[in-house]
Amino acid sequence: MNIDAIEAAAARIAGHARRTPLLSSPFLDEIAGRPVHVKAECLQHTGSFKFRGAWSAISALPEGTRGVIAFSSGNHAQGVALAAKLHGLPSVIIMPSDAPALKRANTAALGAEVILYDRATEDRDAIGERLAEERGLSLVRPFDDAQVIAGQGTCGLEIAAQAAERGIERATMLTCCGGGGLTSGIALALEARAPGITVRPVEPEDSDDVGCSLAAGELLRNAFQSRSICDAIVTPAAGKLTFPIMQRLCGPGLSVTDEECLKAVALAFLRLKIVLEPGGAAALAAALFHGDALDDGPVIVTASGGNVDPAVFARALETLPD
């Protein structure tokens, strides 16, 4: 898990993943009180950055692999389902029963076998490991996997290059953070390619295990499973691989409310013309509404996913003033 691994992942991904744009709006800059640059990974294949890590991991599997299995609330599920399909491999995806209907439907439509579980009473890791052993499948973890982290780091390579194109040498990088795959991958890439950009993770309040872990100096778990609408980034704890990277390279974590994320979804649509899900808008929410917790200077944020149910999107649009 270093820049060489990320560069290798970038070589395997070339021609398969999209180079997503870095967007901006003077209207968002005015709200934030600083320049805000939005890395629109919602425009990536399957609507999130997760395709990067999935392709990286699956493209690194040995010949003779029988198939893959993954667990996810939806974005990793879709990324793995598509990457497996493009590699000619079957996929099994374990999803929480309360995952958004759109994500469940999309995952199945991409050819995956979907198995539902209760996130409050069942352990998805245990289910995944059991089925992987029973069926001889290769487990592609959502974040705590070296090749997945390397794949997510390719987003950081693009951010470094795009920041340089705009003359940005120093900035705060805010990442939507669940288990830390994207955050740690971007942090590794920026350490090597844009060391003046400091990474800070953003999580839903009441599910801010990464922020609490960084503050405590040790890996902590959430006391309970949050029912936040930011389902894509609600995880019990960071990974054994991702946390040490974040501990070494990241600044303090930030937390945002569901209401702030809904407002960020609406403003991203109004001002950038992109569609985000609440969890994919968490970093933008922090930039717009928590500027007092940020250093001076420009902010770069990940718009990490856009797989939102219509009802939730309509609820977000209701936050816009008349």
Side-chain angles (χ1 to χ4, degrees):
M1 292 179 295
N2 54 31
I3 191 61
D4 293 335
I6 295 172
E7 294 281 9
R12 296 196 306 276
I13 283 174
H16 302 287
R18 294 170 178 156
R19 186 181 193 264
T20 56
L22 195 65
L23 306 176
S24 61
S25 162
F27 298 100
L28 297 183
D29 293 350
E30 183 177 359
I31 295 171
R34 70 188 73 228
V36 177
H37 305 271
V38 180
K39 180 63 169 169
E41 281 294 292
C42 54
L43 301 178
Q44 187 56 259
H45 295 304
T46 69
S48 88
F49 72 95
K50 290 289 191 177
F51 178 79
R52 296 178 184 269
W55 184 277
S56 173
I58 292 173
S59 64
L61 290 173
E63 290 188 16
T65 297
R66 295 171 58 182
V68 299
I69 186 169
F71 36 84
S72 167
S73 66
N75 287 336
H76 180 62
Q78 293 171 85
V80 169
L82 179 57
K85 181 178 181 180
L86 294 175
H87 280 87
L89 294 173
S91 61
V92 176
I93 309 296
I94 303 163
M95 302 184 71
S97 56
D98 60 350
L102 177 66
K103 294 179 179 180
R104 299 199 306 268
N106 286 353
T107 302
L110 290 168
E113 176 188 351
V114 175
I115 297 175
L116 300 178
Y117 78 99
D118 186 332
R119 73 165 89 211
T121 62
E122 296 181 284
D123 184 342
R124 68 179 189 178
D125 295 70
I127 296 171
E129 290 170 1
R130 175 177 57 80
L131 289 176
E133 183 176 352
E134 289 176 356
R135 302 191 187 187
L137 303 174
S138 296
L139 179 60
V140 181
R141 297 183 182 277
F143 52 84
D144 215 29
D145 178 289
Q147 291 294 354
V148 169
I149 294 169
Q152 317 308 20
T154 64
C155 181
L157 293 180
E158 292 180 13
I159 291 169
Q162 291 166 321
E165 291 167 2
R166 299 187 181 196
I168 302 171
E169 296 183 356
R170 305 194 67 83
T172 300
M173 175 81 232
L174 300 179
T175 60
C176 307
C177 186
L182 179 64
T183 301
S184 57
I186 288 177
L188 285 169
L190 295 182
E191 176 191 31
R193 297 289 179 258
I197 301 177
T198 301
V199 179
R200 296 183 63 181
V202 181
E203 302 167 282
E205 65 175 12
D206 297 328
S207 189
D208 57 343
D209 53 286
V210 170
C212 292
S213 297
L214 291 174
E218 61 178 328
L219 185 58
L220 302 176
R221 294 178 64 87
N222 286 313
F224 62 95
Q225 280 285 6
S226 169
R227 292 299 179 182
S228 169
I229 60 171
C230 300
D231 63 283
I233 54 174
V234 173
T235 54
K240 294 179 181 178
L241 299 180
T242 60
F243 179 65
I245 298 170
M246 294 187 288
Q247 188 176 30
R248 181 172 69 86
L249 297 177
C250 291
L254 296 164
S255 62
V256 290
T257 67
D258 282 0
E259 187 65 22
E260 288 168 341
C261 290
L262 287 171
K263 290 179 180 178
V265 168
L267 289 168
F269 174 72
L270 182 66
R271 300 306 185 188
L272 299 176
K273 312 309 176 188
I274 58 174
V275 173
L276 298 180
E277 61 194 275
L284 178 59
L288 295 177
F289 309 125
H290 292 269
D292 56 346
L294 303 175
D295 293 335
D296 293 337
V299 175
I300 305 171
V301 306
T302 58
S304 56
N307 294 306
V308 59
D309 279 350
V312 175
F313 190 66
R315 179 180 166 191
L317 295 183
E318 290 174 355
T319 67
L320 292 172
D322 294 333

